[in-house]
Amino acid sequence: KKQKYFDKLVDLCVNTPNALIICADFVASTQMQDIRMELRGKAQVLMGKNTMIRKGLDMGHLLHPDAGMDTLRANIRGNIGFIFATNCQLDDIREILGKHVRDSAAKSGQVAKANLSLPAGPTGMDPSQTAFFQALNIGTKIVKGQIELVSEFPILKKDERVSPSA
């Protein structure tokens, strides 16, 4: 089974000149399935364990030293995979991948991909819930029977770790 995977990886690397290396962090299985279905007949998606990919590329480098698999092997880090363009251009694949991008909730400990803040103004919450904002040191006032934020409050900053309180 492993040998079959190695053979497939080497064959695709040698015979398919165009490929994308994709990062599959925070990609749901249904999202991946939709991408695979839409790329069927146009491109081939190949995912696998990093050790398997490294070993396959190493074996391929021994068989085809001019294919550049050693440089590809050096970049295998994290949750990655390959999309080999068999019957289409890389721009077509990028377009399909762009269609399937979805926002996801920030989880504690992850690195924030974007800035996020609570806008100043009414929240729609009743005055009995001010303790929630006080615990987070967010300035509030009560106007017309609801809590209103005094100023914009930053929750997440790009490229910083998400804290449990955010």
Side-chain angles (χ1 to χ4, degrees):
K1 196 172 180 180
K2 287 182 182 179
Q3 189 58 47
K4 195 175 176 183
Y5 178 83
F6 297 146
D7 294 341
K8 184 177 184 179
L9 177 63
V10 171
D11 178 56
L12 286 169
C13 285
V14 171
N15 298 326
T16 312
N18 296 330
L20 288 175
I21 298 177
I22 55 165
C23 175
D25 287 342
F26 317 119
V27 178
S29 59
T30 54
Q31 201 173 351
M32 199 67 180
Q33 186 178 11
D34 292 342
I35 291 168
R36 281 181 190 267
M37 285 189 334
E38 200 162 335
L39 287 174
R40 207 170 277 159
K42 299 176 189 170
Q44 202 158 20
V45 179
L46 188 68
M47 304 294 287
K49 295 175 96 42
N50 287 354
T51 51
M52 292 263 292
I53 294 171
R54 281 193 195 105
K55 187 173 179 183
L57 291 173
D58 214 22
M59 292 166 68
H61 179 65
L62 295 174
L63 296 171
H64 308 278
D66 57 326
M69 288 188 228
D70 53 336
T71 54
L72 192 58
R73 184 187 185 278
N75 295 315
I76 306 297
R77 274 186 211 89
N79 190 9
I80 65 145
F82 301 98
I83 299 181
F84 294 95
T86 53
N87 297 329
C88 66
Q89 298 298 315
L90 294 179
D91 291 335
D92 300 335
I93 297 172
R94 282 190 191 100
E95 190 178 308
I96 290 169
L97 292 175
K99 268 199 294 190
H100 291 282
V101 171
R102 296 185 198 147
D103 289 336
S104 63
K107 294 177 186 76
S108 182
Q110 291 178 348
V111 176
K113 304 238 185 242
N115 291 321
L116 180 69
S117 59
L118 286 176
T123 60
M125 298 170 79
D126 65 285
S128 65
Q129 297 172 318
T130 54
F132 171 73
F133 292 104
Q134 287 172 344
L136 297 172
N137 291 330
I138 300 175
T140 59
K141 62 183 179 181
I142 297 172
V143 177
K144 295 182 184 173
Q146 68 177 359
I147 300 172
E148 191 172 292
L149 298 180
V150 176
S151 62
E152 185 177 40
F153 185 78
I155 298 174
L156 298 175
K157 291 186 181 109
K158 189 175 181 175
D159 299 327
E160 286 186 9
R161 289 219 174 267
V162 177
S163 67
S165 63

